[in-house]
Amino acid sequence: MRKALTLVVTGLVAAVLGILSLGGLAAATTATEEEAVSQAEELIEKAKQANEPDPYTPAIYGSR
Amino acid sequence: MVRDRLLLYAVAAVVTAMVLAPLAAPGYVLRYDMVFVPRQPLTWDLVAPAQGLPRAVPMDAVVSVLTQFVPGWVVQRIALGGAVLLAAVGAGRLVPTERTGVRLLAAVGYAWTPYLAERLLIGQWGLLVCYAALPWLVRAGLELRAGRAGAVARVLLAAAPAAITPTGGLIAFGVVSLLAPRRGRWRGSTIAVAGVALLNAPWVTAALVTDAGGTSDPAGVAAFAPRGENWAGPLTALAGTGGIWSAQATPASRALPLVPLVTLVLLALAGAGVGLLRRRTSPGVSARLLVLAGAGFLLAALGTVPGTADVLRWAVAQLPGAGLLRDGQKFLAPYALLLVVCVALGAERLVTRVERTNREVAGVVLGGVLLLPVAAMPDLAFGGAGRLWPVSYPADWPVVAGRLAADPGGEVLALPLSGYRAYPWNGGRTVLDPAPRYLPATVLIDDTLRVGDVAVSGENPRLQEIRQLIGAGRPAAETGVRWVLVQQHRADQVDPATLAGLELVYQGVFLALYRNPAAPPSPVMAAPARWAVVVALAVAVVVVIAALFRRYAGGLLRGNLRSEVQTLEDWHA
């Protein structure tokens, strides 16, 4: 009984941590890269349409 | 005891290696506000900026002195590595517990906070030094409260690294002012508070003597207000110790929808741990720690709450020095520390309860809570998933520095007008222009900060004048600067008309240096007011030396060992 409980709790904790890790890693690598590219393209396009300078010029300290 | 201490240091070292792994490669990590150069000259502008606000006083002076003896890349690694390592060890040792696992949990938790990740990714290493010093400072403050011999010196030695930036100095002053005073023990606490005030004297003096004025552009309040990282908004982000204004300095994992739930779990554990903290510390300590953390949280939230944001906007525009509060998230450090300590104690309580029924499960739970911060933000590993990467300065930089050293005198104007640059040799990462720290001269870089489509004006009156002239299409020669440095990382950025009348002195791949024949060399005259900053620096150094003498002159081994044992006993008193 005790071993079964240990296994269940261990499994659950490992599953939660695993999901969080995989989610985080996915966010940090593939998904974000794609999102960043599309977001950047969108912002550059918007700036062009508004006749404003490219927001990805080095002068930008950061964006919110 | 020794084995536990070694284990704590070992875990801290592993965490440090995980976070800063890319720094094993040679070169300089240049990212946003993090600029290190091979040998930073000790110029007046770095010691006491004449026309800018002293945001890096006395940090720049300290780095300038250190890099006279060791290369900048070594200083960078010691600063970053030391900050992460000592943050972890300090938090681990601060927790009032006898369980090693709980100490390790606090160590990993404090070295893996969104706060640390975000301030690292925006390059504010001086603030991270304060973050690392904080648990040691709190511990020393508690020793002082307990009337321990030599505690004043420990307080001052922990506060000194924190005070290398104005924000860190203020946090240190707040901590000591709140923790040290105790009825009947005024002498020690008064000396400690006065000593920490003196450690803050360099930047306060520099702020008083600069021509920049003390007020800032109120547009900065909205631009630098805490930012929501996911669906839960900025206040929840702050509750999880994140919420920096910059999207580029936020780990991508913070946007995950599960993150607020992790914050909720941590807050629940912290809530469970507060009771243990109260029981295991002497009367009044937990309340003071809560006040400290609460004050930090309130300062962080000022810019995001509608009513207080308006007050802050007014204060930044009208009150000298209030600009320090505009990026309030940086004041979250004491909150982060208390959160981690309480989470560790909450986990201990939980584990103790589980242990009554099943010891194996208890170990798993403790391990799970220990790994929770890492699992929730895995992209802090490996320098923020590769965002920190060392590079080498192109050969142009030492050549230009050599030319300026050979013909000293006069200001250098860096063009195109921009404070931050994304060099191709730095992988396109944005970084504060290294010229003022690399070149042995007064270098003028634009101090306007562009946040998205908002331009937050700088405070330097000289640059304001230059911006107007250049903006009106006048040549740089009319600004009175002796040198113009063109950074050619982007083509067609400098109008040839701006360079009219200048003589090309050096043309490299990335840098071009021009001399203005209309401006003769003018030696830097140190105004008497600037000497006041030097005096304040000297006083701060004397405070540190006196504390070192007091701490180590009176029997190194005897004092150390006894104090460690006593500290542990006090926590349980």
Side-chain angles (χ1 to χ4, degrees), chain B residues 47 49 72 89 94 134 192 201 302 320 324 331 396 399 431 482 501 546 569:
Chain B
V47 175
V89 174
L94 183 66
L134 198 55
L302 278 182
L324 261 174
F331 289 99
D396 288 348
V399 172
V431 63
R482 181 150 185 260
E569 285 169 358

Side-chain angles (χ1 to χ4, degrees), chain B residues 541-562:
Chain B
V541 169
V542 168
V543 168
V544 174
I545 291 172
L548 276 171
F549 186 78
R550 180 76 183 82
R551 175 82 175 89
Y552 294 107
L556 186 66
L557 279 173
R558 180 169 46 86
N560 270 351
L561 288 176
R562 202 171 53 196

Side-chain angles (χ1 to χ4, degrees), chain B residues 30 35 37 393 397 423 425 431-439 487:
Chain B
L30 305 173
V35 176
V37 299
Y393 283 97
W397 283 86
Y423 301 109
W425 50 265
V431 63
L432 182 65
D433 192 336
R437 288 171 177 83
Y438 205 117
L439 306 178
Q487 307 204 29

Side-chain angles (χ1 to χ4, degrees), chain B residues 13-28:
Chain B
V14 169
V15 171
T16 307
M18 279 173 72
V19 174
L20 300 175
L23 271 77
Y28 297 83

